[in-house]
Coordinates of all heavy atoms in Angstrom, one line a residue:
Chain B
W35 N 16.1 39.0 -37.9 CA 15.0 39.3 -38.8 C 15.0 38.3 -39.9 O 16.0 38.1 -40.6 CB 15.1 40.7 -39.3 CG 14.7 41.7 -38.3 CD1 15.5 42.3 -37.3 CD2 13.4 42.4 -38.1 NE1 14.8 43.2 -36.6 CE2 13.6 43.3 -37.1 CE3 12.2 42.3 -38.8 CZ2 12.5 44.1 -36.7 CZ3 11.2 43.0 -38.4 CH2 11.3 43.9 -37.3
Y36 N 13.8 37.7 -40.2 CA 13.5 36.9 -41.3 C 12.3 37.5 -42.0 O 11.5 38.2 -41.4 CB 13.2 35.5 -40.9 CG 14.4 34.6 -40.6 CD1 15.1 34.8 -39.4 CD2 14.9 33.7 -41.4 CE1 16.2 34.0 -39.0 CE2 16.0 32.9 -41.1 CZ 16.7 33.1 -39.9 OH 17.8 32.3 -39.6
R37 N 12.2 37.1 -43.3 CA 10.9 37.5 -44.0 C 10.4 36.3 -44.8 O 11.2 35.4 -45.1 CB 11.2 38.7 -44.9 CG 11.9 38.4 -46.2 CD 12.0 39.6 -47.0 NE 12.7 39.4 -48.3 CZ 13.0 40.4 -49.1 NH1 12.7 41.6 -48.9 NH2 13.6 40.1 -50.3
Q38 N 9.1 36.3 -45.0 CA 8.5 35.2 -45.8 C 7.6 35.9 -46.9 O 6.6 36.5 -46.6 CB 7.6 34.4 -44.8 CG 7.1 33.1 -45.5 CD 6.4 32.2 -44.6 OE1 5.9 32.6 -43.5 NE2 6.3 30.9 -44.9
I39 N 8.1 35.7 -48.1 CA 7.4 36.1 -49.2 C 6.3 35.1 -49.5 O 6.6 33.9 -49.4 CB 8.3 36.4 -50.4 CG1 9.3 37.5 -50.0 CG2 7.6 36.7 -51.7 CD1 10.4 37.7 -51.0
H40 N 5.2 35.5 -50.0 CA 4.0 34.7 -50.1 C 4.3 33.2 -50.4 O 4.8 32.9 -51.5 CB 3.1 35.3 -51.2 CG 1.9 34.4 -51.5 ND1 0.9 34.3 -50.6 CD2 1.5 33.7 -52.6 CE1 0.0 33.5 -51.1 NE2 0.3 33.2 -52.3
S41 N 3.9 32.3 -49.5 CA 4.0 30.9 -49.6 C 5.4 30.3 -49.7 O 5.5 29.1 -49.9 CB 3.2 30.4 -50.8 OG 1.8 30.8 -50.6
Q42 N 6.4 31.1 -49.7 CA 7.8 30.6 -49.8 C 8.3 30.3 -48.4 O 7.7 30.7 -47.4 CB 8.7 31.6 -50.5 CG 8.3 31.9 -51.9 CD 9.3 32.8 -52.6 OE1 10.4 33.1 -52.1 NE2 8.9 33.4 -53.7
G43 N 9.5 29.7 -48.3 CA 10.1 29.5 -47.0 C 10.7 30.8 -46.5 O 11.1 31.6 -47.3
P44 N 10.8 30.9 -45.2 CA 11.4 32.2 -44.6 C 12.8 32.4 -45.1 O 13.5 31.4 -45.4 CB 11.3 31.9 -43.1 CG 10.2 31.0 -42.9 CD 10.2 30.1 -44.1
Q45 N 13.2 33.6 -45.2 CA 14.5 34.0 -45.7 C 15.2 34.9 -44.6 O 14.6 35.9 -44.2 CB 14.4 34.8 -47.0 CG 15.6 35.3 -47.6 CD 15.4 36.3 -48.7 OE1 14.3 36.9 -48.8 NE2 16.4 36.4 -49.6
Y46 N 16.4 34.5 -44.3 CA 17.2 35.3 -43.4 C 17.5 36.7 -43.9 O 17.8 36.9 -45.1 CB 18.5 34.6 -43.1 CG 19.5 35.5 -42.4 CD1 19.5 35.6 -41.0 CD2 20.6 36.1 -43.1 CE1 20.5 36.4 -40.3 CE2 21.5 36.8 -42.5 CZ 21.5 37.0 -41.1 OH 22.4 37.7 -40.4
I47 N 17.4 37.8 -43.1 CA 17.7 39.1 -43.5 C 19.0 39.6 -42.8 O 20.0 39.9 -43.5 CB 16.6 40.1 -43.3 CG1 15.3 39.6 -44.0 CG2 16.9 41.5 -43.7 CD1 14.1 40.5 -43.6
I48 N 18.9 39.6 -41.5 CA 20.0 40.3 -40.8 C 19.9 39.9 -39.3 O 18.8 39.5 -38.9 CB 20.0 41.8 -41.0 CG1 21.3 42.5 -40.6 CG2 18.8 42.4 -40.2 CD1 21.4 43.9 -41.1
H49 N 21.0 40.0 -38.5 CA 20.9 39.9 -37.1 C 21.9 40.7 -36.4 O 22.9 41.2 -37.0 CB 21.1 38.4 -36.7 CG 22.5 37.9 -36.7 ND1 23.0 37.4 -37.9 CD2 23.4 37.7 -35.8 CE1 24.3 37.0 -37.6 NE2 24.5 37.2 -36.4
G50 N 21.7 41.0 -35.1 CA 22.7 41.8 -34.3 C 22.5 41.6 -32.9 O 21.5 41.0 -32.4
L51 N 23.5 42.0 -32.1 CA 23.5 41.9 -30.7 C 23.2 43.2 -30.0 O 22.3 43.4 -29.3 CB 24.8 41.3 -30.2 CG 24.9 41.1 -28.6 CD1 23.9 40.0 -28.2 CD2 26.3 40.6 -28.3
K52 N 24.1 44.2 -30.3 CA 23.9 45.5 -29.7 C 24.3 46.7 -30.6 O 23.8 47.8 -30.5 CB 24.6 45.7 -28.3 CG 26.0 45.3 -28.3 CD 26.6 45.4 -26.9 CE 28.0 45.0 -26.9 NZ 28.6 45.1 -25.5
N53 N 25.2 46.3 -31.5 CA 25.6 47.4 -32.5 C 24.7 47.4 -33.7 O 24.1 46.3 -34.0 CB 27.0 47.1 -33.0 CG 28.0 47.2 -31.8 OD1 27.9 48.0 -31.0 ND2 29.0 46.3 -31.8
N54 N 24.6 48.5 -34.3 CA 23.8 48.6 -35.6 C 24.5 47.7 -36.6 O 25.7 47.7 -36.7 CB 23.6 50.0 -36.0 CG 22.9 50.8 -35.0 OD1 22.1 50.3 -34.2 ND2 23.0 52.1 -35.0
E55 N 23.7 47.1 -37.5 CA 24.3 46.2 -38.5 C 23.7 46.6 -39.9 O 22.5 47.1 -40.0 CB 24.0 44.8 -38.2 CG 24.5 44.2 -36.9 CD 26.0 44.1 -36.9 OE1 26.6 44.0 -38.0 OE2 26.5 43.9 -35.8
T56 N 24.5 46.4 -40.9 CA 24.0 46.7 -42.3 C 24.5 45.6 -43.2 O 25.7 45.2 -43.1 CB 24.5 48.1 -42.8 OG1 23.9 49.1 -42.0 CG2 24.1 48.3 -44.2
N57 N 23.7 45.2 -44.1 CA 24.2 44.3 -45.2 C 23.5 44.7 -46.5 O 22.9 45.8 -46.5 CB 23.9 42.8 -44.8 CG 22.4 42.5 -44.7 OD1 21.6 43.2 -45.2 ND2 22.2 41.4 -44.0
E58 N 23.6 43.9 -47.5 CA 23.1 44.3 -48.8 C 21.6 44.4 -48.8 O 21.0 44.9 -49.8 CB 23.6 43.3 -49.9 CG 23.1 41.9 -49.7 CD 23.9 41.1 -48.7 OE1 24.8 41.7 -48.1 OE2 23.6 39.9 -48.6
M59 N 20.9 43.7 -47.9 CA 19.5 43.7 -47.9 C 18.9 44.8 -47.0 O 17.8 45.4 -47.4 CB 18.9 42.4 -47.4 CG 19.1 41.2 -48.3 SD 18.4 39.7 -47.6 CE 16.7 40.1 -47.7
A60 N 19.5 45.1 -45.9 CA 18.8 45.9 -44.9 C 19.8 46.5 -43.8 O 20.9 46.1 -43.8 CB 17.7 45.2 -44.2
S61 N 19.2 47.4 -43.0 CA 20.0 47.8 -41.8 C 19.2 47.5 -40.6 O 17.9 47.5 -40.6 CB 20.2 49.3 -41.9 OG 21.0 49.7 -42.9
L62 N 19.9 47.2 -39.5 CA 19.2 46.9 -38.2 C 19.7 47.9 -37.2 O 20.9 48.0 -37.0 CB 19.6 45.5 -37.8 CG 19.1 45.0 -36.4 CD1 17.6 45.1 -36.3 CD2 19.6 43.6 -36.1
I63 N 18.8 48.6 -36.6 CA 19.1 49.6 -35.6 C 18.6 49.1 -34.3 O 17.4 48.8 -34.1 CB 18.5 51.0 -35.9 CG1 18.8 51.4 -37.3 CG2 18.9 52.0 -34.9 CD1 20.3 51.6 -37.6
I64 N 19.4 48.9 -33.3 CA 19.1 48.4 -32.0 C 19.3 49.5 -31.0 O 20.3 50.2 -30.9 CB 19.9 47.2 -31.6 CG1 19.8 46.1 -32.6 CG2 19.5 46.7 -30.2 CD1 20.7 44.9 -32.4
T65 N 18.2 49.8 -30.2 CA 18.4 50.9 -29.2 C 19.4 50.6 -28.2 O 19.8 49.4 -28.0 CB 17.0 51.2 -28.5 OG1 16.6 49.9 -27.9 CG2 16.0 51.6 -29.5

Side-chain angles (χ1 to χ4, degrees):
Chain B
W35 284 83
Y36 281 75
R37 74 179 182 183
Q38 187 174 24
I39 296 171
H40 178 65
S41 298
Q42 298 180 18
Q45 175 190 24
Y46 166 83
I47 302 173
I48 198 167
H49 76 276
L51 181 62
K52 53 184 178 181
N53 297 321
N54 297 338
E55 302 287 344
T56 295
N57 63 20
E58 64 279 4
M59 289 182 68
S61 295
L62 174 60
I63 308 298
I64 303 174
T65 58

